[in-house]
Amino acid sequence: AMGVSGTVETKIDAESGQITSITEIPGMTRAAQGITGGVAWSNDTMQGPRLLSDEERAQLARQGDFYAELDFTETYSEREYLGEEELDGVRCHVVMLTPADGGSPIKRWYNAETGLQMQQEFTIASPMGEVTATSRTEDWLEVDGVKMPARTVNSFSGIEQVMNFESLEINPEFDDEDFAIPAAVQELLDNE
């Protein structure tokens, strides 16, 4: 609603489980978070450097796990089919999934015709408590034979965040710097 825009760059090494995501909104904020060598961290202009809680770490790891959806029986300890429902005039199959790592249940809507996810409702763990969020996938594109979301609309705490993906790359080359722990976070680790 404020017309604020910025960039998000996320790098995920599916093999090692490392992830780093940097969000920049010019003149407002810079936030980075990631998992590096098993250490889950965050560093932003609002809260400064910190180590993520176990729940936040699990949530970030799930977001970066490309293979999670290939075997629902391994990824989700409980799976419940809730029936069919229309979403924006599209017939959807609705399921409730409980992450095997103990996270909060996730409700998802899948397009009954294409099988692609259209929406999910879930709880976000944060230092300020739990927040309910909705994420809608409004467009899909194919990158190197893999279907990827091209546009998502995230809603939480009265904020709507629209993400348009300008580029998606499958199997890029990474170096150690791509997942480096920021110096301020490393100081925290050194002082533990």
Side-chain angles (χ1 to χ4, degrees):
M2 294 172 46
V4 175
S5 64
T7 61
V8 177
E9 181 176 10
T10 301
K11 297 177 182 178
I12 300 169
D13 184 343
E15 191 172 308
S16 70
Q18 296 190 115
I19 181 172
T20 185
S21 183
I22 300 170
T23 302
E24 293 191 63
I25 301 174
M28 292 185 74
T29 190
R30 182 180 194 280
Q33 67 176 357
I35 300 174
T36 305
V39 175
W41 53 268
S42 177
N43 189 23
D44 64 64
T45 53
M46 301 272 293
Q47 298 176 346
R50 66 185 185 86
L51 300 176
L52 299 182
S53 69
D54 290 343
E55 191 173 345
E56 290 172 300
R57 181 197 192 294
Q59 188 172 282
L60 184 58
R62 278 194 306 273
Q63 291 170 357
D65 186 352
F66 284 116
Y67 305 113
E69 304 307 306
L70 296 179
D71 186 355
F72 271 33
T73 61
E74 185 176 314
T75 306
Y76 303 104
S77 59
E78 295 179 36
R79 299 153 307 278
E80 181 183 0
Y81 180 66
L82 302 178
E84 289 188 4
E85 192 175 306
E86 269 200 23
L87 183 66
D88 296 335
V90 176
R91 187 173 60 90
C92 295
H93 295 293
V94 184
V95 297
M96 186 70 76
L97 304 167
T98 301
D101 61 21
S104 298
I106 302 163
K107 186 176 181 181
R108 290 196 180 149
W109 288 255
Y110 291 93
N111 183 312
E113 186 177 321
T114 66
L116 296 173
Q117 182 179 306
M118 290 187 63
Q119 178 172 290
Q120 64 177 343
E121 289 180 357
F122 53 98
T123 301
I124 299 172
S126 79
M128 297 164 280
E130 293 187 341
V131 177
T132 301
T134 301
S135 180
R136 295 184 65 139
T137 305
E138 295 185 345
D139 194 14
W140 289 81
L141 56 86
E142 192 167 311
V143 179
D144 296 335
V146 178
K147 291 266 189 187
M148 304 285 283
R151 176 183 167 91
T152 61
V153 178
N154 302 315
S155 303
F156 52 93
S157 301
I159 298 169
E160 184 176 83
Q161 175 189 60
V162 178
M163 298 179 70
N164 293 302
F165 296 87
E166 294 178 3
S167 67
L168 299 164
E169 188 178 347
I170 306 291
N171 295 323
E173 292 293 323
F174 294 120
D175 60 41
D176 292 341
E177 286 302 308
D178 287 319
F179 303 102
I181 294 174
V185 174
Q186 187 62 51
E187 276 185 51
L188 290 176
L189 289 168
D190 294 342
N191 293 325
E192 274 194 339

